[in-house]
């Protein structure tokens, strides 16, 4: 019996539809820029453990281009991971969506019903689960969380803070109007959570129970910033460490941990499982994914 030959991690990104190789199904991470993404290392490590020869590519698609590319895709696509600036487009493209994708207005995962090019897509948001898992069971009952930034990841961060039990979330952004818009849109949907918006230039962590930095490249550091011992999750991971992570006094959770945890949930969905249905021997799969992530940084 011949041993299964698994696809290699692709080098760089492609700007047109990735070719169909010998793999039984195709997957990719979509975004712009995307060449830095570590998603192929993570996902392919999981599929090797699961014993499936699926391909996983980096597919660079600029803003506004998702629908055209996916409507004209070829045979063999199982699903796609989605990052900036395409998460809202992914949700709009899908025929159905999970509650978190609808709540946040963003999808980082599309799962196609079959491998046929005309198969409908289901949208999911695994970023929220990834953030919650990255904090390792941190409880925030009665506390408040500071979210830095007001983009798509910030919306997921607010939803994650609500899931962890935060009573108040303060959203700080370079454009206070963007923070105010996020708070106005999401606030009525989160019962029991008070959302406040403010200018990033005024941010001090004060008594925050946790801080989530979603700013691309990381939040800049002012000379008067008083870092606390609250845990800090930085969504950024390239380059690492961020300026804020370098000066932070408490525990720092790198963006790679969020990336890993949300990818585990994506693998569940891509392999036909429910979002909360563990993979077989999931702890071993997570360990292999972590090793692949560590090796990619060396």
């Amino acid at each position: 019996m011949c041993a299964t030959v698994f696809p290699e991690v692709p080098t760089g990104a492609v700007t047109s539809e990735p070719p169909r190789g010998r793999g039984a199904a195709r997957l990719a991470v979509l975004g712009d820029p995307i060449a830095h993404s570590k998603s192929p290392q993570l996902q392919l490590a999981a599929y090797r453990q699961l014993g499936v020869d699926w391909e996983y590519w980096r597919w660079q698609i600029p803003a506004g281009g998702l629908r055209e590319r996916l409507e004209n895709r070829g045979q063999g696509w199982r699903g796609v991971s989605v990052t900036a600036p395409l998460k809202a487009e992914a949700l709009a493209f899908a025929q159905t969506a999970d509650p978190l994708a609808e709540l946040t207005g963003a999808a980082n995962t599309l799962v196609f019903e079959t491998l046929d090019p005309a198969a409908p897509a289901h949208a999911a948001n695994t970023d929220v689960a990834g953030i919650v898992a990255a904090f390792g069971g941190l409880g925030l009952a009665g506390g408040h969380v500071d979210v830095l930034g007001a983009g798509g990841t910030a919306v997921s961060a607010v939803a994650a803070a609500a899931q962890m039990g935060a009573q108040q979330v303060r959203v700080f952004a370079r454009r206070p109007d963007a923070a105010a818009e996020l708070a106005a849109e999401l606030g009525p949907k989160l019962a029991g959570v008070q959302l406040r918006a403010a200018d990033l230039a005024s941010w001090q962590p004060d008594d925050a129970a946790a801080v989530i930095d979603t700013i691309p490249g990381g939040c800049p550091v002012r000379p008067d910033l008083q870092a606390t011992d609250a845990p800090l999750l930085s969504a950024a991971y390239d380059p690492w460490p961020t300026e804020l992570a370098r000066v932070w006094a408490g525990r720092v959770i790198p963006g790679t941990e969020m990336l890993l945890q949300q990818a585990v949930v994506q693998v569940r969905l891509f392999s036909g499982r429910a979002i909360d249905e563990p993979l077989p021997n999931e702890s071993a799969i997570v360990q292999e994914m972590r090793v692949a992530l560590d090796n990619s940084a060396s």
Side-chain angles (χ1 to χ4, degrees):
M1 180 179 295
C2 295
T4 301
V5 179
F6 296 106
E8 297 292 328
V9 175
T11 302
V14 295
T15 56
S16 57
E17 181 178 3
R20 187 177 185 186
R22 62 172 178 262
R26 282 189 285 181
L27 296 144
V29 58
L30 316 182
D32 185 21
I34 203 64
H36 68 286
S37 175
K38 297 181 184 296
S39 290
Q41 290 94 320
L42 284 169
Q43 299 266 347
L44 290 172
Y47 301 134
R48 283 194 295 271
Q49 286 295 110
L50 289 170
V52 294
D53 60 341
W54 294 355
E55 302 167 5
Y56 193 101
W57 299 82
R58 300 180 187 92
W59 189 358
Q60 183 174 327
I61 298 178
L66 181 142
R67 179 173 293 277
E68 178 186 1
R69 304 306 199 282
L70 295 186
E71 283 183 344
N72 293 287
R73 70 185 185 274
Q75 184 77 19
W77 284 97
R78 184 74 190 97
V80 292
S81 308
V82 183
T83 188
L86 302 174
K87 292 181 180 181
E89 293 179 42
L91 179 61
F93 174 80
Q95 285 72 40
T96 59
D98 73 8
L100 281 175
E102 292 180 340
L103 172 69
T104 59
N108 74 329
T109 309
L110 291 174
V111 182
F112 302 123
E113 191 172 286
T114 70
L115 301 183
D116 188 86
H122 176 74
N125 181 324
T126 70
D127 282 335
V128 175
I131 292 169
V132 172
F135 274 106
L138 177 68
L140 299 172
H144 82 260
V145 173
D146 287 349
V147 173
L148 312 182
T153 304
V155 179
S156 294
V158 172
Q163 281 198 3
M164 291 188 289
Q167 187 174 36
Q168 181 185 98
V169 179
R170 305 187 304 179
V171 181
F172 293 84
R174 293 186 179 100
R175 293 193 302 109
D177 58 322
E181 183 178 339
L182 186 158
E185 174 67 23
L186 205 54
K189 303 176 184 178
L190 298 175
V193 181
Q194 179 186 9
L195 287 185
R196 294 176 51 197
D199 190 332
L200 183 63
S202 69
W203 176 59
Q204 289 289 354
D206 300 326
D207 59 345
V211 176
I212 306 175
D213 180 9
T214 72
I215 296 172
C219 179
V221 175
R222 302 189 317 271
D224 64 329
L225 181 69
Q226 302 295 315
T228 72
D229 59 0
L232 164 70
L233 169 63
S234 171
Y237 62 83
D238 186 19
W240 183 261
T242 65
E243 189 177 344
L244 183 60
R246 280 197 298 268
V247 303
W248 198 251
R251 178 167 66 107
V252 175
I253 306 166
T256 49
E257 185 64 22
M258 172 187 165
L259 179 70
L260 168 65
Q261 297 296 342
Q262 66 81 30
V264 173
V265 183
Q266 284 189 334
V267 173
R268 293 175 184 169
L269 294 172
F270 291 147
S271 59
R273 293 169 173 82
I275 197 166
D276 57 353
E277 181 184 355
L279 299 162
N281 201 14
E282 186 167 279
S283 60
I285 291 174
V286 172
Q287 179 58 29
E288 286 301 309
M289 295 171 76
R290 196 178 297 282
V291 168
L293 193 60
D294 291 343
N295 288 343
S296 71
S298 59

